[in-house]
Amino acid sequence: MESAESSGSPTGGQPAGPQVDKGAPKGGNTKKYVFMVVFPFVLVMMLVGIYAGSMHAPTPRDLPVAVTGTAAQAQPLADSLNATGGSPVEVRVVATADEARQLVHDREIAGALALPAQGSDDGAVLYTAQAAGAAQVQMVQSVFQPVADAQQLTLEQQDIAPLPASDGMGVTTLFTAIGWMLAGYMLVTVLTSGAPELLPLRRLVPLLAGWSALVSALVWVIVGPLIGAIDGHVLPVLGLGWLSVFAVGLGQTLFARLLGPLAVVPGIALFMFLGVPASNIMMSIHSVPGFFGFLHHVLPLPAAGETLRSILYFGGDGVGPHLLVLAAWAVAGLALTAGIDLLRRRTSRGPDEAADTPSSSPAGSPGAQGALTSA
């Protein structure tokens, strides 16, 4: 009886209870709790700092506009506006009103003022494109309305690319692009912490491709048939959605390879926090700090948003450079991740690797038996 009781107690008769791992580092929990507090703090500060810092006081800076009219009218006005302190506008003189309208449609300029002939009772005409950004149109109006008032001219506004009634604020492109960014970013982020066995490229790439197709289709159903914010352009929108989700997913995969769980910080910063003010959709890129002008040409969110806007409202003009940005993120993410994986496999091979192969184990050894069993 005594031996039975003793064998049932791991401490020789003392009741069994929770065992404390005395070898565990005492600072482990402290580091975990510090991370749990610091991580959301950093994200909140990034969100507030980037959004408020970039968009709290929008003022035009080097806003590209044009003036057309006789040489005696247009050139002095352009010189006067270009000499304004702080360089709010960058004015060019164009020969005809047709040329001015085309430049606005091609989004090479934000707006153009066509002056009436000298001695004419006609008013001035202001060409803008609402679909290129409502905030940008307001800035163009704030530049040229005082000019018209000073010359006692009535100012007629002509919208080269009006927004449809289904998207009067012009925000559909931004929120659709944000949805694509989140889809690519979140899938890899969740897999990194919850299912790392799916992160090898041979598993992740087909999974991400299928996920991108699914999300692209669902987003189109929401903004198209369900809400009615987008009409038509089904195949281009579906293709753009797939490429956007896929590119962001591969970009986030690269960050995950380099930083592990900490990859959420650069991912959300580049794909969301910095991407929104650099998108040129909610606010003109000419009204935020100059650094965002550079980001506008390299980040996925501006590329996806500008491409979608071009498809919907400008007949697809100018999509080439933006599609190249998305393709570059996809190719770079895939190639660099594959390179990192290959380098790690090579550096992880040590002198003990040969002992793990079946040929180096005796036929009856446990190693050989394990290899046969696993096979």
Side-chain angles (χ1 to χ4, degrees), residues 69-204:
T70 64
Q73 295 173 298
Q75 193 61 57
L77 176 59
D79 293 341
S80 175
L81 290 173
N82 284 329
T84 304
S87 186
V89 291
E90 188 177 278
V91 189
R92 70 176 77 176
V93 176
V94 298
T96 66
D98 289 339
E99 182 182 354
R101 284 195 295 268
Q102 189 62 46
L103 289 172
V104 173
H105 181 273
D106 294 343
R107 287 168 292 165
E108 292 188 27
I109 59 176
L113 179 68
L115 296 169
Q118 289 181 329
S120 172
D121 293 332
D122 296 334
V125 180
L126 180 62
Y127 300 110
T128 57
Q130 191 81 8
Q136 182 169 269
V137 171
Q138 293 176 357
M139 287 198 302
V140 173
Q141 292 172 334
S142 70
V143 170
F144 286 119
Q145 186 64 57
V147 172
D149 294 341
Q151 298 187 17
Q152 297 181 343
L153 297 172
T154 59
L155 189 62
E156 175 190 354
Q157 183 171 336
Q158 290 189 11
D159 199 340
I160 302 300
L163 287 167
S166 59
D167 186 24
M169 295 294 292
V171 297
T172 297
T173 53
L174 177 61
F175 292 131
T176 301
I178 288 176
W180 292 335
M181 299 299 107
L182 281 175
Y185 163 80
M186 287 302 300
L187 175 67
V188 177
T189 299
V190 170
L191 294 180
T192 300
S193 58
E197 67 276 6
L198 297 177
L199 289 178
L201 288 178
R202 68 181 184 277
R203 298 178 178 177
L204 180 64

Side-chain angles (χ1 to χ4, degrees), residues 212-290:
S212 300
L214 174 63
V215 169
S216 178
L218 292 178
V219 169
W220 176 82
V221 168
I222 293 172
V223 298
L226 291 183
I227 297 177
I230 291 179
D231 184 20
H233 310 284
V234 179
L235 292 181
V237 173
L238 289 176
L240 175 60
W242 183 91
L243 177 59
S244 300
V245 177
F246 191 69
V248 171
L250 289 175
Q252 185 62 21
T253 301
L254 174 60
F255 296 150
R257 288 293 197 277
L258 294 172
L259 301 173
L262 291 179
V264 295
V265 176
I268 200 169
L270 291 174
F271 301 138
M272 290 292 299
F273 294 165
L274 293 171
V276 170
S279 67
N280 196 39
I281 300 177
M282 181 175 293
M283 298 184 65
S284 171
I285 200 64
H286 299 284
S287 66
V288 294

Side-chain angles (χ1 to χ4, degrees), residues 202 338-350 353:
R202 68 181 184 277
I340 291 172
D341 291 348
L342 178 61
L343 180 62
R344 288 179 176 174
R345 283 197 298 269
R346 288 181 175 178
T347 56
S348 65
R349 292 175 180 173
E353 183 183 10

